[in-house]
Amino acid sequence: MLQNIRVVLVNTSHPGNIGGAARAMKNMGLSRLVLVQPKAFPAAEATARASGADDILDNVQVVDSLEQALVGCSLVMGTSARERSIPWPLIDPRECGAKAVAHAGGGEHIALVFGREHAGLTNEELQRCHFHVHIPSNPDFSSLNLAAAVQVLSYEVRMAWLAADGAPAKVEKSDANGDELATMDEMELFYDHLEKTLVDIGFLDPEKPKHLMARLRRLYGRSAVNRPEMSILRGILTETQKVVRGEPHKRKD
Ligand code: SAH
């Protein structure tokens, strides 16, 4: 079940932190590490700091974008050391561990996303996440070392996993109707389609977007959209675009 939970590190500068994260993960039973454009990897310092968690480094997946790192995930939790301009559903590491384990137990894929050492995650990257996780650190000195932050979340995942051991896995892969949830890559295609349609109908001014897409991402992100619902939403957009373009469409008159 724990292999369904991936740790994603975005744009890491110091390879030592990649090794430290791998060690922290392996200590807690996690195995899947994905790196988005690391500054230096593979690197001797990563191997040194991994202190024997070499299998995790050997199996690392290196990708070019956060979008690629999230393919197949239906739950994404992004970490942040500080508050952001558009507030997002915010949870602490304990709730994060519980959610990760509950969803992973149902067969879903989950991502825990960590940012750059100096700048964290961008707002755009955070808006790709369903939840923001804040480690309730000292407000006057809130930013943990990257590998230490990975340690805290991995520990909470392990504690939730141990607590659930033996208990029937809560199946949250599908919703109450038994339908599978849409994955992040499907959601991204939808957001792209939605944005184009909103521009086509004049609702979204590309010159003055006013956080509209961020707000819509937040809305749909908390809705746990399933596959049949996604087909309905995409169908509505397709028909709307046909009407706007004067193409043949479903309306009869
Ligand atoms: N200076 C950056 C902090 C980067 S710390 C900023 O202000 O955003 C590097 C990464 O460690 C962060 O992107 C986040 O993934 C994680 N991290 C550090 N402290 C954290 C905290 N208190 N809560 C949640 N994540 C934290």
Side-chain angles (χ1 to χ4, degrees), residues 142-201:
S142 66
S143 172
L144 280 76
N145 162 265
L146 173 59
V150 172
Q151 182 74 77
V152 172
L153 262 64
S154 305
Y155 169 74
E156 290 295 347
V157 166
R158 185 159 193 86
M159 289 303 279
W161 180 72
L162 290 172
D165 196 24
K170 261 200 243 159
V171 178
E172 292 194 19
K173 180 176 189 176
S174 37
D175 59 15
N177 304 315
D179 290 311
E180 279 194 22
L181 298 175
T183 59
M184 283 318 277
D185 31 319
E186 291 163 345
M187 291 305 290
E188 284 308 321
L189 292 173
F190 165 67
Y191 291 134
D192 196 46
H193 196 175
L194 179 62
E195 186 169 8
K196 287 196 176 102
T197 309
L198 293 176
V199 171
D200 284 353
I201 63 172

Side-chain angles (χ1 to χ4, degrees), residues 1-2 4-5 74-78 88-112 129-133 153 156-161 163-164 169-173 181 221-222 224:
M1 179 225 273
L2 292 178
N4 289 350
I5 303 173
S74 49
L75 176 64
V76 181
M77 296 184 271
W88 221 251
L90 185 67
I91 56 177
D92 65 24
R94 198 141 301 168
E95 293 172 272
C96 170
K99 279 187 196 297
V101 166
H103 285 250
E108 273 183 67
H109 287 267
I110 289 101
L112 309 177
C129 304
H130 294 95
F131 293 95
H132 291 174
V133 187
L153 262 64
E156 290 295 347
V157 166
R158 185 159 193 86
M159 289 303 279
W161 180 72
K170 261 200 243 159
V171 178
E172 292 194 19
K173 180 176 189 176
L181 298 175
R222 57 168 198 265

Side-chain angles (χ1 to χ4, degrees), residues 79-82 84 113-121 133-137 142-146 149:
T79 49
S80 179
R82 59 200 157 90
R84 303 299 175 127
V113 186
F114 297 84
R116 300 155 187 82
E117 289 91 336
H118 297 300
L121 293 166
V133 187
H134 177 68
I135 300 167
S137 44
S142 66
S143 172
L144 280 76
N145 162 265
L146 173 59

